[in-house]
Amino acid sequence: MKGISSVNFAGKKVLVRVDFNVPVDENKKITDDTRIQEAMPTIKKLMSDGASIILMAHFGRPKKGGFEPELSLKPVVDYLSELLNQKVAFTQSLDFNDIKELADNLKQGEVMMIENIRFYPEETKGDVELAKKLASLGDCYVNDAFGAAHREHSSTATIAQFFPNDKYFGLLMEHEIINLTKLMNAPTKPFTAIIGGSKISSKIDVIKNLLPLVDNLIIGGGMSYTFAKANGKNIGKSICEDDKIQVALDLQEEAKKQNVNLYLPVDILAGDAFSNDCNIKYCPEVNIPDELEGMDAGEKTRELFGKVILDSKTILWNGPVGVFEFENFAGGTNSIAKYIAEATDKGAFAAVGGGDSVSAIKKSGFADKISYISTGGGAMLEYLEGKTLPGIKAILD
Ligand code: ADP
Ligand code: MG
């Protein structure tokens, strides 16, 4: 592991790629600063070493090629200045002469930020020239942007080649890699994966890659109806990907071959519309009337899944098992969270990842019981699919 903990960066100019792609409201006020907070340990460590820090980050999805006022990192810079209690140097200029001047004037312990890196259209192409210009600003490179680790961009991957002996994982990135490695390389058995969410299509590769590793696979949420339909059940108006019926059958077959116990919902809370205040009907079996759609796991399903979870020593959860955004259909997802918390109390190692899953676990109130909550939605999923993440590879190469 090429981490920063045992290195002293005193007097160095350190380029740090962070994930500051935070949500903002219409007044550009940051509504959730989690991503900024998570980069603080790395920034503070470098500051206390006496390094000068040059932050690189993207914000939103610029399309015009060049500066777009509404996607400027200025609000983030102001916020960070407050957090650090010192001014973060910044220019909205994209001209490298201006940026270099700022970088050259940085003193030890000072921080600057480059404007939204995706204002340069070359960034997302992984362009070498842009990477070289960025690299010319500093002496070392630290990647702490796990949320962007699955992107082969100039500032997340290409840049690393200019620092063959001075490239490192930031503390957040290191934490993610250690936990993902633990999960996928040496899981204590029994290992249970709970995979939910709306679409099977977005999780096929994850399931395929997990089958050789897990003892139990729990499938819940919207994607379970594609399995149910494949198994000849009535699913009413429930969400279903008809073109993935064969995939569902193949996955079931594969699970059997690999001796994985597969668990699907056995009872359902259905609704007559996709809304929180629709009329709710309990279906004691997966046999949903034509005019209704499956919205959440029923009580028997919760107990069935719970029993498996409580018997597990390693647990991976990605994907809510119901439409948890609607309070009336959050019960199934919350019960998963509760059972996982109980399992970790008994010594299990539990990992939760995925944008919606992380927001569900936070809402449930059990987040502090989870051994490891991944900060990277897409990046974690690609890791679980068995892919090599360019942001990780670039540091290791
Ligand atoms: P993650 O972001 O954690 O990877 P996904 O994006 O795959 O999770 O899935 C989350 C979405 O799945 C949520 O918006 C949730 O409402 C939806 N979902 C779960 N169960 C159902 C269901 N029965 N019908 C429709 N959507 C569902
Ligand atoms: Mg999602």
Side-chain angles (χ1 to χ4, degrees):
M1 184 68 66
K2 292 183 183 172
I4 59 172
S5 316
S6 54
V7 181
N8 190 327
F9 291 89
K12 301 277 187 199
K13 289 213 157 62
V14 186
L15 282 151
V16 186
R17 179 55 158 98
V18 287
D19 181 8
F20 280 177
N21 195 20
V22 288
V24 292
D25 66 14
E26 59 281 3
N27 300 317
K28 295 278 172 283
K29 198 173 144 11
I30 294 165
T31 55
D32 180 353
D33 72 347
T34 308
R35 284 177 167 163
I36 298 175
Q37 293 290 357
E38 278 161 348
M40 292 304 277
T42 291
I43 295 172
K44 291 221 164 124
K45 140 81 180 159
L46 294 171
M47 284 172 80
S48 71
D49 274 4
S52 311
I53 299 152
I54 305 163
L55 297 171
M56 304 178 284
H58 76 279
F59 190 56
R61 295 182 173 218
K63 289 202 180 71
K64 292 184 191 149
F67 182 75
E68 294 179 41
E70 64 281 8
L71 291 176
S72 170
L73 273 168
K74 178 85 173 50
V76 174
V77 170
D78 292 343
Y79 191 86
L80 186 63
S81 299
E82 264 175 52
L83 267 188
L84 294 174
N85 224 346
Q86 74 179 48
K87 197 167 167 44
V88 173
F90 181 62
T91 171
Q92 292 190 314
S93 167
L94 302 183
D95 184 331
F96 268 86
N97 294 320
D98 298 334
I99 298 167
K100 183 98 172 86
E101 196 183 314
L102 268 192
D104 287 347
N105 287 329
L106 277 186
K107 300 193 182 65
Q108 283 187 278
E110 289 186 344
V111 181
M112 74 171 266
M113 180 131 207
I114 298 175
E115 185 53 290
N116 189 347
I117 198 75
R118 289 197 190 163
F119 285 162
Y120 302 94
E122 301 92 337
E123 159 71 359
T124 53
K125 298 185 185 100
D127 180 69
V128 180
E129 284 311 308
L130 174 62
K132 196 172 173 182
K133 279 191 222 160
L134 291 167
S136 75
L137 302 169
D139 310 307
C140 327
Y141 172 67
V142 172
N143 189 351
D144 210 22
F146 181 69
H150 55 320
R151 308 289 186 207
E152 194 159 9
H153 294 172
S154 300
S155 70
T156 61
T158 320
I159 187 173
Q161 72 195 59
F162 297 101
F163 301 97
N165 301 310
D166 300 289
K167 48 182 182 173
Y168 308 90
F169 293 118
L171 297 170
L172 169 66
M173 189 87 153
E174 185 176 352
H175 175 75
E176 295 275 357
I177 296 170
I178 287 172
N179 280 292
L180 284 169
T181 310
K182 187 166 166 181
L183 188 70
M184 301 297 276
N185 290 20
T188 312
K189 301 281 195 163
F191 182 4
T192 298
I194 306 138
I195 307 291
S198 49
K199 288 184 166 173
I200 177 176
S201 51
S202 61
K203 306 285 164 80
I204 296 168
D205 291 336
V206 173
I207 296 175
K208 277 191 186 156
N209 193 48
L210 285 172
L211 280 176
L213 293 173
V214 299
D215 304 288
N216 305 302
L217 174 64
I218 293 174
I219 303 270
M223 62 187 242
S224 72
Y225 301 105
T226 302
F227 284 86
K229 189 164 179 182
N231 294 328
K233 311 256 170 140
N234 297 321
I235 61 162
K237 289 192 301 173
S238 306
I239 186 170
C240 178
E241 290 169 278
D242 283 312
D243 60 332
K244 295 291 178 290
I245 299 248
Q246 189 55 46
V247 171
L249 289 171
D250 292 346
L251 287 174
Q252 285 187 163
E253 197 52 44
E254 196 51 40
K256 204 183 278 170
K257 258 196 221 154
Q258 307 217 29
N259 281 321
V260 174
N261 304 309
L262 178 70
Y263 298 91
L264 289 161
V266 292
D267 62 345
I268 303 286
L269 282 187
D272 64 352
F274 193 77
S275 72
N276 185 49
D277 42 16
C278 63
N279 292 305
I280 303 174
K281 186 168 182 291
Y282 173 65
C283 304
E285 292 169 58
V286 183
N287 184 7
I288 304 172
D290 288 348
E291 68 282 9
L292 301 181
E293 65 184 293
M295 301 286 279
D296 198 8
E299 199 53 52
K300 282 191 286 179
T301 304
R302 297 177 197 181
E303 276 170 31
L304 170 71
F305 290 0
K307 212 173 156 300
V308 178
I309 290 167
L310 289 178
D311 280 338
S312 307
K313 285 276 167 269
T314 303
I315 301 159
L316 164 65
W317 182 23
N318 168 259
V321 300
V323 188
F324 77 101
E325 295 93 335
F326 300 150
E327 204 184 316
N328 288 336
F329 300 107
T333 299
N334 286 336
S335 82
I336 297 280
K338 192 193 82 179
Y339 283 118
I340 294 179
E342 229 176 285
T344 57
D345 275 342
K346 293 199 306 169
F349 173 78
V352 175
D356 293 293
S357 310
V358 170
S359 100
I361 196 83
K362 284 185 179 164
K363 259 180 157 175
S364 78
F366 291 108
D368 59 337
K369 297 271 189 180
I370 305 303
S371 324
Y372 155 57
I373 297 181
S374 177
T375 59
M380 189 211 195
L381 280 182
E382 289 202 16
Y383 190 97
L384 297 180
E385 286 172 0
K387 287 190 188 143
T388 304
L389 304 188
I392 296 180
K393 184 169 181 289
I395 301 290
L396 296 177
D397 270 352

